[in-house]
Amino acid sequence: MNRTADTPAAETSAADTSAAPADSLTPPRISWNEAFCSEGANCFRFGLDDTGRAYIGSTLSPDAYVSDSVEALRALISAVKAGAADHLL
C-alpha cells in the first residue's frame, strides 16, 4: 500500500522517488464517501480518485490516508471482517 507524502524520508529509497512520475507530487483528487463512524468519534472514510485508486482515511487527520488498488483494499476489508485484526481489539 502507498502512504501519503507524510512518510519520513528514511522510509523511502532514492529508487522509489526517481521511479515516480513527475505528477506524483500533485495531490490526488479524491472523491470521499460519507464518513463511517462508530462510537461517535472514530470516523473513517473511503474514497476513489479519478484514476480508480482506492483510499481509506480518518476524519481526524484529513491529509493522512492509505491508498492501493480497489482489489487490494477489498481484500484488506474482507480480511478484517473475517477476524484477521481481532487481536488488535
Side-chain angles (χ1 to χ4, degrees):
M1 285 190 199
N2 298 326
R3 289 190 272 175
T4 64
D6 296 335
T7 303
E11 293 183 22
T12 53
S13 68
D16 291 338
T17 57
S18 64
D23 65 349
S24 68
L25 299 177
T26 304
R29 295 180 135 193
I30 306 168
S31 296
W32 293 105
N33 291 343
E34 186 173 334
F36 169 78
C37 301
S38 64
E39 299 180 25
N42 301 320
C43 299
F44 291 91
R45 57 196 180 145
F46 301 92
L48 290 173
D49 69 13
D50 55 355
T51 66
R53 288 191 63 80
Y55 296 80
I56 300 175
S58 168
T59 57
L60 297 177
S61 301
D63 294 329
Y65 50 79
V66 295
S67 75
D68 209 322
S69 67
V70 171
E71 295 79 18
L73 291 183
R74 184 178 293 126
L76 170 68
I77 292 168
S78 294
V80 169
K81 287 173 67 176
D86 286 356
H87 64 285
L88 300 173
L89 303 175

Coordinates of all heavy atoms in Angstrom, one line a residue:
M1 N 0.8 -1.2 0.0 CA 0.0 0.0 0.0 C 0.9 1.2 0.0 O 2.0 1.2 0.5 CB -0.9 0.0 1.2 CG -2.0 -0.9 1.2 SD -3.1 -0.6 2.5 CE -3.9 -2.1 2.5
N2 N 0.4 2.3 -0.5 CA 1.1 3.6 -0.5 C 0.6 4.4 0.6 O -0.5 4.4 1.0 CB 0.8 4.3 -1.8 CG 1.3 3.5 -3.0 OD1 2.3 2.8 -2.9 ND2 0.6 3.6 -4.1
R3 N 1.5 5.2 1.2 CA 1.2 6.1 2.2 C 1.4 7.5 1.6 O 2.0 7.7 0.6 CB 2.1 6.0 3.4 CG 1.7 4.7 4.2 CD 2.4 4.6 5.5 NE 3.7 4.0 5.2 CZ 4.6 3.9 6.2 NH1 4.4 4.4 7.4 NH2 5.8 3.4 5.9
T4 N 0.8 8.5 2.3 CA 0.9 9.9 1.9 C 2.3 10.4 1.9 O 3.2 9.8 2.4 CB 0.0 10.8 2.7 OG1 0.5 10.8 4.1 CG2 -1.4 10.4 2.7
A5 N 2.5 11.6 1.5 CA 3.8 12.3 1.5 C 4.4 12.5 2.9 O 5.5 12.9 3.1 CB 3.8 13.6 0.7
D6 N 3.5 12.3 3.9 CA 4.0 12.4 5.3 C 4.9 11.3 5.7 O 5.5 11.4 6.8 CB 2.8 12.4 6.3 CG 1.8 13.6 6.0 OD1 2.3 14.6 5.5 OD2 0.6 13.5 6.3
T7 N 5.2 10.3 4.9 CA 6.1 9.2 5.2 C 7.5 9.8 5.4 O 8.0 10.6 4.5 CB 6.1 8.2 4.1 OG1 4.8 7.7 3.9 CG2 7.0 7.1 4.4
P8 N 8.2 9.5 6.5 CA 9.5 10.1 6.7 C 10.5 9.6 5.5 O 10.4 8.5 5.0 CB 10.0 9.4 8.0 CG 8.7 9.0 8.7 CD 7.7 8.7 7.6
A9 N 11.4 10.5 5.2 CA 12.3 10.3 4.1 C 13.1 9.0 4.3 O 13.5 8.3 3.4 CB 13.2 11.5 3.9
A10 N 13.4 8.7 5.5 CA 14.2 7.5 5.8 C 13.5 6.2 5.4 O 14.1 5.2 5.2 CB 14.5 7.4 7.3
E11 N 12.2 6.2 5.2 CA 11.4 5.0 4.9 C 11.3 4.9 3.4 O 10.8 3.9 2.9 CB 10.0 5.1 5.5 CG 10.0 5.0 7.0 CD 8.6 5.0 7.6 OE1 7.7 4.6 6.8 OE2 8.5 5.3 8.7
T12 N 11.7 5.9 2.6 CA 11.7 5.7 1.1 C 13.1 5.8 0.6 O 14.0 6.5 1.1 CB 10.9 6.9 0.5 OG1 11.4 8.1 1.0 CG2 9.4 6.7 0.8
S13 N 13.3 5.0 -0.4 CA 14.7 4.9 -1.0 C 14.7 5.9 -2.2 O 13.7 6.3 -2.8 CB 15.0 3.5 -1.4 OG 14.2 3.1 -2.5
A14 N 15.9 6.2 -2.7 CA 16.1 7.0 -3.8 C 15.5 6.4 -5.1 O 14.9 7.1 -5.9 CB 17.6 7.3 -4.1
A15 N 15.5 5.1 -5.1 CA 14.9 4.4 -6.3 C 13.4 4.6 -6.3 O 12.8 4.8 -7.3 CB 15.2 2.9 -6.2
D16 N 12.7 4.7 -5.1 CA 11.3 4.9 -5.1 C 11.0 6.3 -5.6 O 10.0 6.4 -6.4 CB 10.8 4.9 -3.6 CG 10.9 3.5 -3.0 OD1 10.9 2.5 -3.8 OD2 10.9 3.4 -1.8
T17 N 11.7 7.3 -5.3 CA 11.4 8.7 -5.7 C 11.8 8.9 -7.2 O 11.1 9.6 -7.9 CB 12.0 9.7 -4.8 OG1 13.4 9.5 -4.8 CG2 11.5 9.7 -3.4
S18 N 12.9 8.3 -7.7 CA 13.3 8.5 -9.0 C 12.4 7.8 -10.0 O 12.2 8.2 -11.2 CB 14.7 8.1 -9.2 OG 14.9 6.7 -9.0
A19 N 11.7 6.7 -9.6 CA 10.9 5.9 -10.4 C 9.5 6.5 -10.5 O 8.7 6.2 -11.4 CB 10.8 4.5 -10.0
A20 N 9.2 7.5 -9.6 CA 7.8 8.0 -9.6 C 7.7 9.0 -10.7 O 8.6 9.8 -11.1 CB 7.6 8.7 -8.2
P21 N 6.5 9.1 -11.3 CA 6.2 10.1 -12.4 C 6.2 11.5 -11.8 O 6.0 11.7 -10.6 CB 4.8 9.7 -12.9 CG 4.3 8.7 -12.0 CD 5.4 8.2 -11.1
A22 N 6.5 12.4 -12.6 CA 6.7 13.8 -12.2 C 5.4 14.3 -11.5 O 5.5 15.1 -10.6 CB 7.0 14.7 -13.4
D23 N 4.2 13.9 -12.0 CA 3.0 14.4 -11.4 C 2.6 13.7 -10.1 O 1.6 14.0 -9.5 CB 1.8 14.3 -12.4 CG 1.5 12.8 -12.8 OD1 2.3 11.9 -12.4 OD2 0.5 12.6 -13.4
S24 N 3.5 12.8 -9.6 CA 3.2 12.1 -8.4 C 3.2 13.0 -7.2 O 2.7 12.7 -6.1 CB 4.1 10.9 -8.1 OG 5.4 11.4 -7.9
L25 N 3.8 14.2 -7.3 CA 3.8 15.1 -6.2 C 2.5 15.9 -6.1 O 2.3 16.6 -5.1 CB 5.0 16.1 -6.4 CG 6.4 15.4 -6.4 CD1 7.5 16.4 -6.6 CD2 6.6 14.7 -5.1
T26 N 1.7 15.9 -7.2 CA 0.5 16.6 -7.1 C -0.5 15.7 -6.3 O -0.7 14.6 -6.6 CB -0.1 16.7 -8.6 OG1 0.9 17.4 -9.3 CG2 -1.4 17.5 -8.6
P27 N -1.2 16.3 -5.3 CA -2.1 15.6 -4.5 C -3.2 15.0 -5.4 O -3.7 15.7 -6.3 CB -2.7 16.6 -3.5 CG -1.8 17.7 -3.6 CD -1.1 17.7 -4.9
P28 N -3.6 13.8 -5.2 CA -4.7 13.2 -6.0 C -6.1 13.9 -5.6 O -6.2 14.5 -4.5 CB -4.8 11.8 -5.5 CG -4.2 11.8 -4.2 CD -3.2 12.9 -4.1
R29 N -7.0 13.9 -6.6 CA -8.3 14.5 -6.4 C -9.2 13.3 -5.9 O -9.5 12.5 -6.7 CB -8.9 15.1 -7.6 CG -8.1 16.3 -8.0 CD -8.7 16.9 -9.3 NE -8.8 18.3 -9.1 CZ -9.5 19.1 -9.9 NH1 -10.2 18.6 -10.9 NH2 -9.5 20.4 -9.6
I30 N -9.4 13.2 -4.6 CA -10.2 12.1 -4.1 C -11.6 12.5 -3.8 O -11.9 13.5 -3.2 CB -9.5 11.7 -2.7 CG1 -8.0 11.4 -2.9 CG2 -10.2 10.4 -2.2 CD1 -7.3 11.2 -1.6
S31 N -12.5 11.6 -4.3 CA -13.9 11.8 -4.0 C -14.2 10.9 -2.8 O -14.3 9.7 -3.0 CB -14.8 11.3 -5.2 OG -14.5 12.2 -6.3
W32 N -14.4 11.5 -1.7 CA -14.7 10.8 -0.4 C -16.1 10.5 -0.3 O -17.0 11.3 -0.5 CB -14.2 11.6 0.8 CG -12.7 11.8 0.8 CD1 -12.0 12.9 0.5 CD2 -11.7 10.8 1.2 NE1 -10.7 12.7 0.7 CE2 -10.4 11.4 1.1 CE3 -11.8 9.5 1.6 CZ2 -9.3 10.7 1.4 CZ3 -10.6 8.8 1.9 CH2 -9.4 9.4 1.8
N33 N -16.4 9.3 0.2 CA -17.8 8.9 0.6 C -18.1 9.5 2.0 O -17.1 10.0 2.7 CB -18.0 7.4 0.7 CG -17.9 6.7 -0.6 OD1 -18.1 7.3 -1.7 ND2 -17.7 5.4 -0.6
E34 N -19.3 9.5 2.4 CA -19.7 10.0 3.7 C -18.9 9.1 4.7 O -18.8 7.9 4.6 CB -21.2 9.9 4.0 CG -21.6 10.5 5.3 CD -23.1 10.5 5.4 OE1 -23.8 10.5 4.3 OE2 -23.6 10.4 6.5
A35 N -18.4 9.8 5.8 CA -17.6 9.1 6.8 C -18.4 8.0 7.5 O -19.6 8.2 7.8 CB -17.0 10.1 7.8
F36 N -17.7 6.9 7.8 CA -18.3 5.8 8.6 C -17.8 6.0 10.0 O -16.6 6.0 10.3 CB -17.9 4.5 8.1 CG -18.3 3.3 9.0 CD1 -19.5 2.8 9.0 CD2 -17.3 2.8 9.8 CE1 -19.9 1.8 9.8 CE2 -17.6 1.7 10.6 CZ -18.9 1.2 10.7
C37 N -18.8 6.2 11.0 CA -18.4 6.5 12.3 C -19.0 5.4 13.3 O -20.1 5.0 13.1 CB -18.9 7.8 12.8 SG -18.3 9.2 11.8
S38 N -18.2 5.0 14.2 CA -18.7 4.1 15.3 C -18.3 4.8 16.6 O -17.3 5.4 16.8 CB -18.1 2.7 15.2 OG -16.7 2.8 15.4
E39 N -19.2 4.7 17.6 CA -19.0 5.3 18.9 C -18.7 6.7 18.8 O -17.9 7.3 19.6 CB -17.9 4.5 19.6 CG -18.3 3.0 19.9 CD -17.2 2.3 20.6 OE1 -16.4 2.9 21.4 OE2 -17.1 1.1 20.4
G40 N -19.3 7.4 17.9 CA -19.2 8.9 17.8 C -17.9 9.5 17.2 O -18.0 10.2 16.3
A41 N -16.7 9.2 17.8 CA -15.5 9.9 17.3 C -14.6 9.1 16.4 O -13.7 9.7 15.9 CB -14.8 10.4 18.6
N42 N -14.8 7.9 16.3 CA -14.0 7.0 15.5 C -14.5 7.0 14.1 O -15.3 6.1 13.7 CB -13.9 5.6 16.1 CG -13.3 5.6 17.5 OD1 -12.4 6.4 17.8 ND2 -13.9 4.8 18.3
C43 N -14.1 7.9 13.2 CA -14.7 8.0 11.9 C -13.6 7.8 10.8 O -12.5 8.3 10.8 CB -15.2 9.4 11.7 SG -16.6 9.8 12.8
F44 N -14.0 6.9 9.9 CA -13.1 6.6 8.7 C -13.9 6.9 7.5 O -15.1 6.9 7.5 CB -12.7 5.1 8.8 CG -11.8 4.8 9.9 CD1 -12.2 4.4 11.1 CD2 -10.4 5.0 9.7 CE1 -11.3 4.2 12.2 CE2 -9.5 4.8 10.7 CZ -10.0 4.3 12.0
R45 N -13.2 7.2 6.4 CA -13.9 7.5 5.1 C -13.2 6.7 4.0 O -12.0 6.3 4.1 CB -13.8 9.0 4.9 CG -12.4 9.5 4.8 CD -12.5 11.0 5.0 NE -11.1 11.5 4.9 CZ -10.7 12.6 4.4 NH1 -11.6 13.4 3.8 NH2 -9.4 12.9 4.4
F46 N -13.9 6.4 3.0 CA -13.4 5.7 1.8 C -13.6 6.6 0.6 O -14.5 7.3 0.5 CB -14.2 4.4 1.7 CG -14.2 3.5 2.8 CD1 -15.1 3.5 3.8 CD2 -13.1 2.5 2.9 CE1 -15.0 2.7 5.0 CE2 -13.1 1.7 4.0 CZ -14.0 1.8 5.0
G47 N -12.6 6.5 -0.3 CA -12.7 7.3 -1.5 C -12.0 6.7 -2.7 O -11.3 5.7 -2.6
L48 N -12.3 7.3 -3.8 CA -11.6 6.9 -5.1 C -11.1 8.2 -5.8 O -11.7 9.3 -5.6 CB -12.7 6.3 -6.0 CG -13.2 4.9 -5.7 CD1 -14.3 4.5 -6.6 CD2 -12.1 3.9 -5.7
D49 N -10.0 8.0 -6.5 CA -9.5 9.2 -7.3 C -9.9 9.0 -8.7 O -10.6 7.9 -9.1 CB -8.0 9.4 -7.1 CG -7.2 8.3 -7.7 OD1 -7.6 7.5 -8.5 OD2 -6.0 8.3 -7.4
D50 N -9.6 9.9 -9.6 CA -10.0 9.8 -11.0 C -9.3 8.7 -11.8 O -9.6 8.5 -12.9 CB -9.9 11.2 -11.6 CG -8.5 11.8 -11.6 OD1 -7.6 11.2 -10.9 OD2 -8.3 12.8 -12.2
T51 N -8.2 8.1 -11.2 CA -7.6 7.0 -11.9 C -8.1 5.6 -11.4 O -7.6 4.6 -11.9 CB -6.0 7.1 -11.7 OG1 -5.7 6.8 -10.3 CG2 -5.5 8.4 -12.1
G52 N -9.0 5.6 -10.4 CA -9.5 4.4 -9.9 C -8.8 3.8 -8.7 O -9.2 2.7 -8.2
R53 N -7.9 4.5 -8.1 CA -7.2 4.1 -6.9 C -8.2 4.3 -5.7 O -8.9 5.3 -5.7 CB -5.9 4.8 -6.6 CG -4.8 4.4 -7.6 CD -3.5 4.9 -7.2 NE -3.0 4.4 -5.9 CZ -2.4 3.2 -5.7 NH1 -2.3 2.4 -6.7 NH2 -1.9 2.8 -4.6
A54 N -8.1 3.4 -4.7 CA -9.0 3.5 -3.6 C -8.2 4.0 -2.4 O -7.0 3.8 -2.3 CB -9.5 2.1 -3.2
Y55 N -8.9 4.7 -1.5 CA -8.3 5.3 -0.3 C -9.1 5.1 0.9 O -10.4 4.9 0.9 CB -8.3 6.9 -0.5 CG -7.4 7.3 -1.7 CD1 -7.9 7.2 -3.0 CD2 -6.1 7.7 -1.4 CE1 -7.1 7.6 -4.0 CE2 -5.3 8.1 -2.5 CZ -5.8 8.0 -3.8 OH -5.0 8.4 -4.8
I56 N -8.4 5.0 2.1 CA -9.1 4.9 3.4 C -8.4 6.0 4.2 O -7.2 6.0 4.3 CB -8.9 3.5 4.1 CG1 -9.5 2.4 3.2 CG2 -9.5 3.5 5.5 CD1 -9.2 1.0 3.8
G57 N -9.2 6.8 4.9 CA -8.6 7.9 5.7 C -9.4 8.1 6.9 O -10.6 7.6 7.1
S58 N -8.9 8.8 7.9 CA -9.5 9.1 9.1 C -10.0 10.6 9.1 O -9.3 11.4 8.5 CB -8.5 9.0 10.3 OG -9.1 9.6 11.5
T59 N -11.1 10.9 9.6 CA -11.6 12.3 9.7 C -10.8 13.1 10.6 O -10.8 14.3 10.5 CB -13.1 12.3 10.0 OG1 -13.3 11.7 11.3 CG2 -13.9 11.7 9.0
L60 N -10.0 12.5 11.5 CA -9.2 13.2 12.5 C -8.0 13.8 11.8 O -7.4 14.8 12.3 CB -8.8 12.4 13.7 CG -10.0 11.9 14.5 CD1 -9.5 10.9 15.6 CD2 -10.7 13.1 15.1
S61 N -7.5 13.2 10.8 CA -6.3 13.6 10.0 C -6.6 13.6 8.5 O -6.3 12.7 7.8 CB -5.1 12.6 10.3 OG -4.8 12.6 11.6
P62 N -7.3 14.7 8.1 CA -7.7 14.7 6.7 C -6.7 14.5 5.6 O -7.0 14.0 4.5 CB -8.4 16.1 6.5 CG -8.6 16.6 7.9 CD -7.6 15.9 8.8
D63 N -5.4 14.8 5.9 CA -4.4 14.7 4.9 C -3.6 13.3 5.0 O -2.7 13.1 4.3 CB -3.4 15.8 5.0 CG -4.0 17.2 4.7 OD1 -4.9 17.2 3.8 OD2 -3.6 18.2 5.2
A64 N -4.1 12.5 5.9 CA -3.4 11.2 6.1 C -4.4 10.1 5.6 O -5.6 10.1 5.9 CB -3.1 10.9 7.5
Y65 N -3.8 9.2 4.7 CA -4.6 8.1 4.2 C -3.7 7.0 3.7 O -2.5 7.2 3.5 CB -5.6 8.6 3.1 CG -4.9 9.4 2.0 CD1 -4.1 8.8 1.0 CD2 -5.0 10.8 2.0 CE1 -3.5 9.6 0.1 CE2 -4.3 11.6 1.1 CZ -3.6 10.9 0.1 OH -2.9 11.7 -0.8
V66 N -4.3 5.9 3.4 CA -3.6 4.8 2.7 C -4.3 4.6 1.4 O -5.5 4.9 1.3 CB -3.6 3.4 3.5 CG1 -2.7 3.6 4.8 CG2 -4.9 2.9 3.8
S67 N -3.5 4.2 0.4 CA -4.2 4.0 -0.9 C -3.6 2.8 -1.6 O -2.4 2.4 -1.3 CB -4.0 5.2 -1.8 OG -2.6 5.3 -2.3
D68 N -4.4 2.1 -2.4 CA -3.9 1.0 -3.1 C -5.0 0.7 -4.2 O -5.9 1.5 -4.3 CB -3.8 -0.2 -2.2 CG -2.7 -1.2 -2.7 OD1 -2.6 -1.4 -3.9 OD2 -2.0 -1.8 -1.9
S69 N -4.9 -0.4 -4.9 CA -5.9 -0.7 -5.9 C -7.2 -1.1 -5.1 O -7.2 -1.4 -3.9 CB -5.4 -1.9 -6.7 OG -5.4 -3.1 -5.9
V70 N -8.3 -1.0 -5.8 CA -9.6 -1.3 -5.2 C -9.5 -2.8 -4.8 O -10.0 -3.1 -3.7 CB -10.7 -1.1 -6.3 CG1 -12.0 -1.7 -5.8 CG2 -10.9 0.4 -6.6
E71 N -8.9 -3.7 -5.6 CA -8.9 -5.1 -5.3 C -8.1 -5.3 -4.0 O -8.5 -6.1 -3.1 CB -8.2 -5.9 -6.4 CG -9.0 -5.9 -7.7 CD -8.9 -4.6 -8.5 OE1 -7.9 -3.8 -8.3 OE2 -9.7 -4.3 -9.4
A72 N -7.0 -4.6 -3.8 CA -6.2 -4.8 -2.6 C -6.9 -4.3 -1.3 O -6.9 -4.9 -0.3 CB -4.8 -4.0 -2.7
L73 N -7.6 -3.1 -1.4 CA -8.4 -2.7 -0.3 C -9.6 -3.5 0.0 O -10.0 -3.7 1.1 CB -8.7 -1.2 -0.4 CG -7.5 -0.3 -0.3 CD1 -7.9 1.2 -0.4 CD2 -6.7 -0.5 0.9
R74 N -10.2 -4.1 -1.1 CA -11.3 -5.0 -0.9 C -10.8 -6.2 -0.1 O -11.5 -6.7 0.8 CB -11.9 -5.4 -2.2 CG -13.1 -6.3 -2.1 CD -13.7 -6.7 -3.5 NE -14.2 -5.5 -4.1 CZ -13.9 -5.1 -5.3 NH1 -13.1 -5.7 -6.1 NH2 -14.5 -4.0 -5.8
A75 N -9.6 -6.8 -0.5 CA -9.1 -7.9 0.3 C -8.8 -7.6 1.7 O -9.0 -8.4 2.6 CB -7.8 -8.4 -0.4
L76 N -8.2 -6.4 2.0 CA -8.0 -5.9 3.3 C -9.3 -5.9 4.2 O -9.3 -6.4 5.3 CB -7.3 -4.5 3.3 CG -7.2 -3.9 4.7 CD1 -6.2 -4.6 5.6 CD2 -6.8 -2.4 4.5
I77 N -10.3 -5.3 3.6 CA -11.6 -5.1 4.3 C -12.2 -6.5 4.6 O -12.6 -6.8 5.7 CB -12.5 -4.2 3.6 CG1 -12.0 -2.8 3.6 CG2 -13.9 -4.3 4.1 CD1 -12.7 -1.8 2.7
S78 N -12.1 -7.4 3.6 CA -12.6 -8.8 3.8 C -11.8 -9.5 4.9 O -12.4 -10.2 5.7 CB -12.5 -9.6 2.5 OG -13.3 -9.0 1.5
A79 N -10.5 -9.3 4.9 CA -9.7 -10.0 6.0 C -10.1 -9.4 7.4 O -10.2 -10.2 8.3 CB -8.2 -9.8 5.7
V80 N -10.2 -8.1 7.5 CA -10.6 -7.5 8.7 C -12.0 -8.0 9.2 O -12.2 -8.4 10.3 CB -10.6 -6.0 8.7 CG1 -11.2 -5.3 9.9 CG2 -9.2 -5.5 8.5
K81 N -12.9 -8.1 8.2 CA -14.3 -8.6 8.6 C -14.2 -10.1 9.0 O -15.0 -10.5 9.8 CB -15.2 -8.4 7.4 CG -15.6 -7.0 7.1 CD -16.4 -6.8 5.9 CE -17.7 -7.5 5.9 NZ -18.5 -7.2 4.7
A82 N -13.3 -10.8 8.5 CA -13.1 -12.2 8.8 C -12.4 -12.5 10.1 O -12.2 -13.6 10.6 CB -12.4 -13.0 7.7
G83 N -11.9 -11.4 10.7 CA -11.3 -11.5 12.0 C -9.7 -11.4 12.0 O -9.1 -11.6 13.1
A84 N -9.1 -11.1 10.9 CA -7.7 -11.0 10.9 C -7.1 -10.0 11.8 O -5.9 -10.1 12.2 CB -7.2 -10.7 9.4
A85 N -7.8 -9.0 12.2 CA -7.3 -7.9 13.1 C -7.9 -8.0 14.4 O -7.7 -7.0 15.2 CB -7.6 -6.5 12.4
D86 N -8.6 -9.0 14.8 CA -9.3 -9.1 16.1 C -8.3 -9.0 17.2 O -8.7 -8.5 18.3 CB -10.1 -10.4 16.2 CG -11.4 -10.3 15.4 OD1 -11.7 -9.3 14.8 OD2 -12.1 -11.4 15.3
H87 N -7.1 -9.5 17.0 CA -6.1 -9.4 18.1 C -5.7 -8.0 18.5 O -5.1 -7.8 19.5 CB -4.8 -10.2 17.7 CG -4.1 -9.6 16.5 ND1 -4.6 -9.7 15.2 CD2 -3.0 -8.9 16.5 CE1 -3.8 -9.1 14.4 NE2 -2.8 -8.6 15.2
L88 N -6.1 -7.0 17.6 CA -5.8 -5.6 17.9 C -6.8 -5.0 18.8 O -6.6 -3.9 19.3 CB -5.7 -4.8 16.6 CG -4.6 -5.3 15.7 CD1 -4.6 -4.6 14.4 CD2 -3.2 -5.1 16.3
L89 N -8.0 -5.7 19.0 CA -9.1 -5.1 19.8 C -8.9 -5.4 21.2 O -8.4 -6.4 21.7 CB -10.4 -5.6 19.2 CG -10.6 -5.3 17.8 CD1 -11.9 -6.0 17.3 CD2 -10.7 -3.9 17.5

